[in-house]
PDB file of all heavy atoms in Angstrom:
ATOM      1  N   GLU A1250     108.960  21.389 117.077  1.00  0.00           N
ATOM      2  CA  GLU A1250     107.697  20.752 117.441  1.00  0.00           C
ATOM      3  C   GLU A1250     106.795  20.473 116.251  1.00  0.00           C
ATOM      4  O   GLU A1250     106.503  19.315 115.947  1.00  0.00           O
ATOM      5  CB  GLU A1250     106.936  21.641 118.446  1.00  0.00           C
ATOM      6  CG  GLU A1250     107.675  21.874 119.743  1.00  0.00           C
ATOM      7  CD  GLU A1250     107.011  22.948 120.602  1.00  0.00           C
ATOM      8  OE1 GLU A1250     105.826  23.287 120.355  1.00  0.00           O
ATOM      9  OE2 GLU A1250     107.677  23.457 121.509  1.00  0.00           O
ATOM     10  N   ARG A1251     106.350  21.534 115.595  1.00  0.00           N
ATOM     11  CA  ARG A1251     105.297  21.397 114.599  1.00  0.00           C
ATOM     12  C   ARG A1251     105.730  20.639 113.348  1.00  0.00           C
ATOM     13  O   ARG A1251     105.027  19.745 112.888  1.00  0.00           O
ATOM     14  CB  ARG A1251     104.765  22.784 114.204  1.00  0.00           C
ATOM     15  CG  ARG A1251     104.212  23.633 115.342  1.00  0.00           C
ATOM     16  CD  ARG A1251     102.894  23.139 115.887  1.00  0.00           C
ATOM     17  NE  ARG A1251     101.802  23.164 114.966  1.00  0.00           N
ATOM     18  CZ  ARG A1251     101.007  24.210 114.733  1.00  0.00           C
ATOM     19  NH1 ARG A1251     101.187  25.335 115.376  1.00  0.00           N
ATOM     20  NH2 ARG A1251     100.026  24.113 113.851  1.00  0.00           N
ATOM     21  N   LEU A1252     106.890  21.013 112.791  1.00  0.00           N
ATOM     22  CA  LEU A1252     107.324  20.370 111.551  1.00  0.00           C
ATOM     23  C   LEU A1252     107.715  18.904 111.753  1.00  0.00           C
ATOM     24  O   LEU A1252     107.344  18.055 110.928  1.00  0.00           O
ATOM     25  CB  LEU A1252     108.439  21.180 110.896  1.00  0.00           C
ATOM     26  CG  LEU A1252     108.006  22.579 110.444  1.00  0.00           C
ATOM     27  CD1 LEU A1252     109.200  23.392 109.990  1.00  0.00           C
ATOM     28  CD2 LEU A1252     106.941  22.499 109.369  1.00  0.00           C
ATOM     29  N   PRO A1253     108.437  18.543 112.836  1.00  0.00           N
ATOM     30  CA  PRO A1253     108.689  17.118 113.061  1.00  0.00           C
ATOM     31  C   PRO A1253     107.400  16.308 113.230  1.00  0.00           C
ATOM     32  O   PRO A1253     107.303  15.164 112.773  1.00  0.00           O
ATOM     33  CB  PRO A1253     109.530  17.093 114.342  1.00  0.00           C
ATOM     34  CG  PRO A1253     110.223  18.411 114.349  1.00  0.00           C
ATOM     35  CD  PRO A1253     109.212  19.366 113.778  1.00  0.00           C
ATOM     36  N   ALA A1254     106.377  16.899 113.850  1.00  0.00           N
ATOM     37  CA  ALA A1254     105.102  16.204 114.018  1.00  0.00           C
ATOM     38  C   ALA A1254     104.422  15.982 112.668  1.00  0.00           C
ATOM     39  O   ALA A1254     103.872  14.903 112.400  1.00  0.00           O
ATOM     40  CB  ALA A1254     104.184  16.990 114.949  1.00  0.00           C
ATOM     41  N   LEU A1255     104.475  16.992 111.803  1.00  0.00           N
ATOM     42  CA  LEU A1255     103.895  16.845 110.464  1.00  0.00           C
ATOM     43  C   LEU A1255     104.669  15.830 109.637  1.00  0.00           C
ATOM     44  O   LEU A1255     104.084  15.085 108.846  1.00  0.00           O
ATOM     45  CB  LEU A1255     103.855  18.197 109.747  1.00  0.00           C
ATOM     46  CG  LEU A1255     102.831  19.195 110.266  1.00  0.00           C
ATOM     47  CD1 LEU A1255     103.007  20.540 109.568  1.00  0.00           C
ATOM     48  CD2 LEU A1255     101.423  18.676 110.066  1.00  0.00           C
ATOM     49  N   ASP A1256     105.986  15.797 109.816  1.00  0.00           N
ATOM     50  CA  ASP A1256     106.816  14.809 109.127  1.00  0.00           C
ATOM     51  C   ASP A1256     106.454  13.406 109.592  1.00  0.00           C
ATOM     52  O   ASP A1256     106.302  12.486 108.777  1.00  0.00           O
ATOM     53  CB  ASP A1256     108.294  15.103 109.374  1.00  0.00           C
ATOM     54  CG  ASP A1256     109.217  14.168 108.614  1.00  0.00           C
ATOM     55  OD1 ASP A1256     108.955  13.880 107.425  1.00  0.00           O
ATOM     56  OD2 ASP A1256     110.206  13.715 109.211  1.00  0.00           O
ATOM     57  N   ALA A1257     106.273  13.234 110.882  1.00  0.00           N
ATOM     58  CA  ALA A1257     105.923  11.915 111.438  1.00  0.00           C
ATOM     59  C   ALA A1257     104.556  11.447 110.943  1.00  0.00           C
ATOM     60  O   ALA A1257     104.341  10.255 110.730  1.00  0.00           O
ATOM     61  CB  ALA A1257     105.948  11.964 112.961  1.00  0.00           C
ATOM     62  N   SER A1258     103.649  12.394 110.716  1.00  0.00           N
ATOM     63  CA  SER A1258     102.312  12.024 110.235  1.00  0.00           C
ATOM     64  C   SER A1258     102.290  11.762 108.735  1.00  0.00           C
ATOM     65  O   SER A1258     101.301  11.266 108.210  1.00  0.00           O
ATOM     66  CB  SER A1258     101.307  13.122 110.586  1.00  0.00           C
ATOM     67  OG  SER A1258     101.503  14.253 109.759  1.00  0.00           O
ATOM     68  N   GLY A1259     103.373  12.129 108.032  1.00  0.00           N
ATOM     69  CA  GLY A1259     103.442  11.911 106.584  1.00  0.00           C
ATOM     70  C   GLY A1259     102.883  13.060 105.762  1.00  0.00           C
ATOM     71  O   GLY A1259     102.815  12.971 104.541  1.00  0.00           O
ATOM     72  N   ALA A1260     102.478  14.144 106.409  1.00  0.00           N
ATOM     73  CA  ALA A1260     101.908  15.276 105.687  1.00  0.00           C
ATOM     74  C   ALA A1260     102.965  16.040 104.889  1.00  0.00           C
ATOM     75  O   ALA A1260     102.671  16.607 103.840  1.00  0.00           O
ATOM     76  CB  ALA A1260     101.206  16.222 106.655  1.00  0.00           C
ATOM     77  N   ILE A1261     104.203  16.065 105.416  1.00  0.00           N
ATOM     78  CA  ILE A1261     105.314  16.744 104.753  1.00  0.00           C
ATOM     79  C   ILE A1261     106.562  15.893 104.935  1.00  0.00           C
ATOM     80  O   ILE A1261     106.553  14.910 105.687  1.00  0.00           O
ATOM     81  CB  ILE A1261     105.579  18.151 105.331  1.00  0.00           C
ATOM     82  CG1 ILE A1261     105.973  18.050 106.814  1.00  0.00           C
ATOM     83  CG2 ILE A1261     104.414  19.075 105.105  1.00  0.00           C
ATOM     84  CD1 ILE A1261     106.564  19.312 107.392  1.00  0.00           C
ATOM     85  N   GLU A1262     107.618  16.295 104.265  1.00  0.00           N
ATOM     86  CA  GLU A1262     108.936  15.715 104.495  1.00  0.00           C
ATOM     87  C   GLU A1262     109.813  16.832 105.032  1.00  0.00           C
ATOM     88  O   GLU A1262     109.968  17.862 104.385  1.00  0.00           O
ATOM     89  CB  GLU A1262     109.501  15.133 103.205  1.00  0.00           C
ATOM     90  CG  GLU A1262     108.693  13.947 102.704  1.00  0.00           C
ATOM     91  CD  GLU A1262     109.189  13.413 101.372  1.00  0.00           C
ATOM     92  OE1 GLU A1262     110.290  13.815 100.924  1.00  0.00           O
ATOM     93  OE2 GLU A1262     108.464  12.622 100.772  1.00  0.00           O
ATOM     94  N   PHE A1263     110.329  16.634 106.253  1.00  0.00           N
ATOM     95  CA  PHE A1263     111.107  17.665 106.915  1.00  0.00           C
ATOM     96  C   PHE A1263     112.487  17.129 107.239  1.00  0.00           C
ATOM     97  O   PHE A1263     112.637  16.138 107.939  1.00  0.00           O
ATOM     98  CB  PHE A1263     110.401  18.122 108.196  1.00  0.00           C
ATOM     99  CG  PHE A1263     111.165  19.139 108.995  1.00  0.00           C
ATOM    100  CD1 PHE A1263     111.649  20.306 108.411  1.00  0.00           C
ATOM    101  CD2 PHE A1263     111.413  18.938 110.337  1.00  0.00           C
ATOM    102  CE1 PHE A1263     112.345  21.242 109.138  1.00  0.00           C
ATOM    103  CE2 PHE A1263     112.108  19.872 111.089  1.00  0.00           C
ATOM    104  CZ  PHE A1263     112.579  21.025 110.484  1.00  0.00           C
ATOM    105  N   ASP A1264     113.512  17.797 106.695  1.00  0.00           N
ATOM    106  CA  ASP A1264     114.904  17.462 106.977  1.00  0.00           C
ATOM    107  C   ASP A1264     115.379  18.395 108.079  1.00  0.00           C
ATOM    108  O   ASP A1264     115.658  19.564 107.832  1.00  0.00           O
ATOM    109  CB  ASP A1264     115.750  17.632 105.716  1.00  0.00           C
ATOM    110  CG  ASP A1264     117.206  17.271 105.911  1.00  0.00           C
ATOM    111  OD1 ASP A1264     117.648  17.144 107.087  1.00  0.00           O
ATOM    112  OD2 ASP A1264     117.917  17.129 104.910  1.00  0.00           O
ATOM    113  N   GLU A1265     115.427  17.874 109.307  1.00  0.00           N
ATOM    114  CA  GLU A1265     115.772  18.710 110.458  1.00  0.00           C
ATOM    115  C   GLU A1265     117.186  19.258 110.380  1.00  0.00           C
ATOM    116  O   GLU A1265     117.442  20.381 110.808  1.00  0.00           O
ATOM    117  CB  GLU A1265     115.608  17.914 111.756  1.00  0.00           C
ATOM    118  CG  GLU A1265     114.169  17.636 112.091  1.00  0.00           C
ATOM    119  CD  GLU A1265     114.008  16.951 113.426  1.00  0.00           C
ATOM    120  OE1 GLU A1265     114.574  17.446 114.415  1.00  0.00           O
ATOM    121  OE2 GLU A1265     113.322  15.920 113.469  1.00  0.00           O
ATOM    122  N   THR A1266     118.115  18.486 109.834  1.00  0.00           N
ATOM    123  CA  THR A1266     119.508  18.946 109.802  1.00  0.00           C
ATOM    124  C   THR A1266     119.690  20.124 108.849  1.00  0.00           C
ATOM    125  O   THR A1266     120.477  21.028 109.123  1.00  0.00           O
ATOM    126  CB  THR A1266     120.471  17.809 109.414  1.00  0.00           C
ATOM    127  OG1 THR A1266     120.086  17.292 108.140  1.00  0.00           O
ATOM    128  CG2 THR A1266     120.446  16.711 110.456  1.00  0.00           C
ATOM    129  N   GLN A1267     118.986  20.125 107.729  1.00  0.00           N
ATOM    130  CA  GLN A1267     119.102  21.223 106.772  1.00  0.00           C
ATOM    131  C   GLN A1267     117.994  22.259 106.939  1.00  0.00           C
ATOM    132  O   GLN A1267     118.057  23.333 106.350  1.00  0.00           O
ATOM    133  CB  GLN A1267     119.077  20.687 105.344  1.00  0.00           C
ATOM    134  CG  GLN A1267     120.275  19.837 105.017  1.00  0.00           C
ATOM    135  CD  GLN A1267     120.264  19.384 103.568  1.00  0.00           C
ATOM    136  OE1 GLN A1267     119.310  19.612 102.836  1.00  0.00           O
ATOM    137  NE2 GLN A1267     121.336  18.746 103.154  1.00  0.00           N
ATOM    138  N   GLY A1268     116.959  21.920 107.703  1.00  0.00           N
ATOM    139  CA  GLY A1268     115.842  22.837 107.883  1.00  0.00           C
ATOM    140  C   GLY A1268     115.001  22.990 106.635  1.00  0.00           C
ATOM    141  O   GLY A1268     114.396  24.030 106.401  1.00  0.00           O
ATOM    142  N   LEU A1269     114.921  21.929 105.808  1.00  0.00           N
ATOM    143  CA  LEU A1269     114.165  21.979 104.554  1.00  0.00           C
ATOM    144  C   LEU A1269     112.843  21.237 104.680  1.00  0.00           C
ATOM    145  O   LEU A1269     112.775  20.155 105.253  1.00  0.00           O
ATOM    146  CB  LEU A1269     114.962  21.355 103.419  1.00  0.00           C
ATOM    147  CG  LEU A1269     116.100  22.181 102.853  1.00  0.00           C
ATOM    148  CD1 LEU A1269     116.849  21.388 101.784  1.00  0.00           C
ATOM    149  CD2 LEU A1269     115.591  23.481 102.261  1.00  0.00           C
ATOM    150  N   ILE A1270     111.827  21.830 104.095  1.00  0.00           N
ATOM    151  CA  ILE A1270     110.492  21.244 104.096  1.00  0.00           C
ATOM    152  C   ILE A1270     110.077  21.014 102.656  1.00  0.00           C
ATOM    153  O   ILE A1270     110.214  21.900 101.811  1.00  0.00           O
ATOM    154  CB  ILE A1270     109.486  22.196 104.763  1.00  0.00           C
ATOM    155  CG1 ILE A1270     109.957  22.545 106.172  1.00  0.00           C
ATOM    156  CG2 ILE A1270     108.087  21.601 104.780  1.00  0.00           C
ATOM    157  CD1 ILE A1270     109.818  23.982 106.502  1.00  0.00           C
ATOM    158  N   GLU A1271     109.570  19.821 102.399  1.00  0.00           N
ATOM    159  CA  GLU A1271     109.022  19.495 101.084  1.00  0.00           C
ATOM    160  C   GLU A1271     107.657  18.889 101.284  1.00  0.00           C
ATOM    161  O   GLU A1271     107.374  18.304 102.323  1.00  0.00           O
ATOM    162  CB  GLU A1271     109.924  18.506 100.339  1.00  0.00           C
ATOM    163  CG  GLU A1271     111.267  19.091  99.964  1.00  0.00           C
ATOM    164  CD  GLU A1271     112.023  18.190  99.007  1.00  0.00           C
ATOM    165  OE1 GLU A1271     111.465  17.882  97.937  1.00  0.00           O
ATOM    166  OE2 GLU A1271     113.136  17.803  99.339  1.00  0.00           O
ATOM    167  N   ARG A1272     106.828  19.019 100.281  1.00  0.00           N
ATOM    168  CA  ARG A1272     105.534  18.348 100.341  1.00  0.00           C
ATOM    169  C   ARG A1272     105.765  16.855 100.210  1.00  0.00           C
ATOM    170  O   ARG A1272     106.600  16.416  99.438  1.00  0.00           O
ATOM    171  CB  ARG A1272     104.633  18.822  99.215  1.00  0.00           C
ATOM    172  CG  ARG A1272     104.195  20.229  99.402  1.00  0.00           C
ATOM    173  CD  ARG A1272     103.175  20.604  98.349  1.00  0.00           C
ATOM    174  NE  ARG A1272     103.253  22.027  98.160  1.00  0.00           N
ATOM    175  CZ  ARG A1272     103.448  22.624  97.004  1.00  0.00           C
ATOM    176  NH1 ARG A1272     103.550  21.934  95.911  1.00  0.00           N
ATOM    177  NH2 ARG A1272     103.516  23.927  96.929  1.00  0.00           N
ATOM    178  N   SER A1273     105.023  16.113 100.950  1.00  0.00           N
ATOM    179  CA  SER A1273     105.121  14.664 100.876  1.00  0.00           C
ATOM    180  C   SER A1273     104.577  14.210  99.532  1.00  0.00           C
ATOM    181  O   SER A1273     103.569  14.729  99.052  1.00  0.00           O
ATOM    182  CB  SER A1273     104.322  14.029 102.009  1.00  0.00           C
ATOM    183  OG  SER A1273     104.275  12.643 101.862  1.00  0.00           O
ATOM    184  N   ALA A1274     105.237  13.242  98.915  1.00  0.00           N
ATOM    185  CA  ALA A1274     104.794  12.742  97.607  1.00  0.00           C
ATOM    186  C   ALA A1274     103.396  12.158  97.708  1.00  0.00           C
ATOM    187  O   ALA A1274     102.576  12.347  96.815  1.00  0.00           O
ATOM    188  CB  ALA A1274     105.772  11.702  97.086  1.00  0.00           C
ATOM    189  N   THR A1275     103.108  11.461  98.786  1.00  0.00           N
ATOM    190  CA  THR A1275     101.772  10.882  98.934  1.00  0.00           C
ATOM    191  C   THR A1275     100.744  11.956  99.219  1.00  0.00           C
ATOM    192  O   THR A1275      99.616  11.888  98.758  1.00  0.00           O
ATOM    193  CB  THR A1275     101.737   9.846 100.072  1.00  0.00           C
ATOM    194  OG1 THR A1275     102.159  10.478 101.281  1.00  0.00           O
ATOM    195  CG2 THR A1275     102.612   8.666  99.768  1.00  0.00           C
TER     196      THR A1275
END
Side-chain angles (χ1 to χ4, degrees):
E1250 299 170 17
R1251 302 289 296 274
L1252 296 172
L1255 288 174
D1256 184 43
S1258 73
I1261 62 166
E1262 294 176 11
F1263 177 52
D1264 181 346
E1265 290 185 51
T1266 58
Q1267 294 183 354
L1269 284 177
I1270 304 136
E1271 293 191 57
R1272 290 187 206 125
S1273 173
T1275 57

